[in-house]
Amino acid sequence: FSRSLTRARDLDVDAVVHAGDVFDHEITRNDRGHIREEIRRTHDAGIPLYYIHGNHDNEAGNRTLRQGPGIHIGGETAVFGDGVVRLSGLDYGAGEFSSPHPEKPGDDGASVSILVIHDTPYPAVDENGSPIHRTDPNHLDLREFLDSAEEWLDLIVSGHLHVGSRASIAGYETPLIVTGPTAEISTSTQENTSSTWLVTVLNGEVQVERQRLV
C-alpha cells in the first residue's frame, strides 16, 4: 500500500482509485494509523484517493477510512480532471448490486466513465477468451447492466481476485482490469506480481499500463 501511494505521488497522478480491501480481516491500531497517514500524505500532495469497501474491510477499518480525507464512492459517482473522468463505485455486494446501477452521463460522451467494483465480475474472460475464474458462487453478473451501459461505459475496474489480469466480460467490448494485489498474497504462480495500474485518459481515449511495484 505504501509503495503504491509513493508511486502515485512520484508520478503526480490526478487521483488514486482503490478497488476495495484496503485492510484485511484482522487489523491492528498500527495498521489503521499507517493507512491513515499514507492517505493523508497523498491528499496533502494534491492527489485524492477514491475507494470502495471490499469483503475484508470490517467496521474498524471502514471507520478509519471515513475519518481520513479519502473519498468513499460506494453508490456514488465522482467527477474529476476538469470533468473529464466520471468515477462510479459499488461496494462489495456478495454477488448482488449493492447500489443502483450507475446512470448514463448527460454530457453526450464528452467524459470517460469508469466503474469500480469489488465483487468477482462475471462472465470475465482474459485476452485469450478463457474464463479468469470458475469457483466464486458470489460472482456479480454484469451482462444485463452492460446491455444498456456498454455504449457509454469506458472501463471496469475490479478488485477482490488475488491475481491481476486484462480482461473483458464475455460478449462485450468494454475493457476490464482485474487489479490483483499490491503484495504477493496468492499461491497462484500466474499474474501474481505486486503491481499497480496506470490509467491515462487523453482525448476521450483510455490507455492502461500495468506497473510492477519494486
Side-chain angles (χ1 to χ4, degrees):
F1 188 84
S2 297
R3 291 202 306 270
S4 65
L5 293 192
T6 297
R7 172 74 57 79
R9 294 191 296 265
D10 289 345
L11 293 175
D12 192 24
V13 297
D14 291 304
V16 172
V17 179
H18 197 292
D21 286 354
V22 175
F23 295 98
D24 202 351
H25 293 299
E26 300 295 331
I27 63 175
T28 66
R29 183 185 301 272
N30 286 340
D31 292 335
R32 296 195 298 271
H34 178 78
I35 293 296
R36 186 185 298 113
E37 176 60 23
E38 287 293 340
I39 295 175
R40 173 67 65 183
R41 289 181 62 194
T42 305
H43 176 267
D44 289 347
I47 302 171
L49 183 141
Y50 299 94
Y51 67 91
I52 58 173
H53 294 318
N55 60 307
H56 285 220
D57 290 316
N58 62 23
E59 180 52 35
N62 293 342
R63 185 168 57 250
T64 297
L65 294 172
R66 289 195 299 268
Q67 292 170 349
I71 303 167
H72 178 223
I73 57 169
E76 303 291 341
T77 295
V79 180
F80 63 92
D82 294 329
V84 171
V85 177
R86 291 173 50 89
L87 187 67
S88 301
L90 293 173
D91 291 329
Y92 179 71
E96 303 289 339
F97 279 84
S98 58
S99 303
H101 296 175
E103 296 183 353
K104 179 180 179 180
D107 56 13
D108 297 324
S111 61
V112 164
S113 293
I114 300 173
L115 173 65
V116 186
I117 65 174
H118 191 78
D119 290 75
T120 298
Y122 180 84
V125 293
D126 63 19
E127 293 178 296
N128 297 317
S130 299
I132 63 172
H133 61 83
R134 297 177 175 84
T135 59
D136 189 348
N138 292 326
H139 58 246
L140 182 64
D141 193 329
L142 293 172
R143 290 173 293 185
E144 182 177 352
F145 168 60
L146 286 177
D147 283 341
S148 60
E150 188 176 34
E151 66 177 26
W152 56 265
L153 187 63
D154 297 285
L155 178 66
I156 303 170
V157 176
S158 173
H160 193 46
L161 299 179
H162 291 183
V163 294
S165 178
R166 295 176 183 267
S168 61
I169 300 301
Y172 299 86
E173 296 182 0
T174 303
L176 164 69
I177 300 172
V178 179
T179 60
T182 54
E184 294 182 359
I185 61 174
S186 175
T187 58
S188 172
T189 59
Q190 297 180 337
E191 302 299 335
N192 191 26
T193 302
S194 302
S195 59
T196 59
W197 298 77
L198 180 64
V199 178
T200 302
V201 176
L202 183 63
N203 298 325
E205 299 292 329
V206 178
Q207 297 179 346
V208 178
E209 175 188 354
R210 189 176 187 183
Q211 297 188 338
R212 182 174 182 174
L213 283 173
V214 294

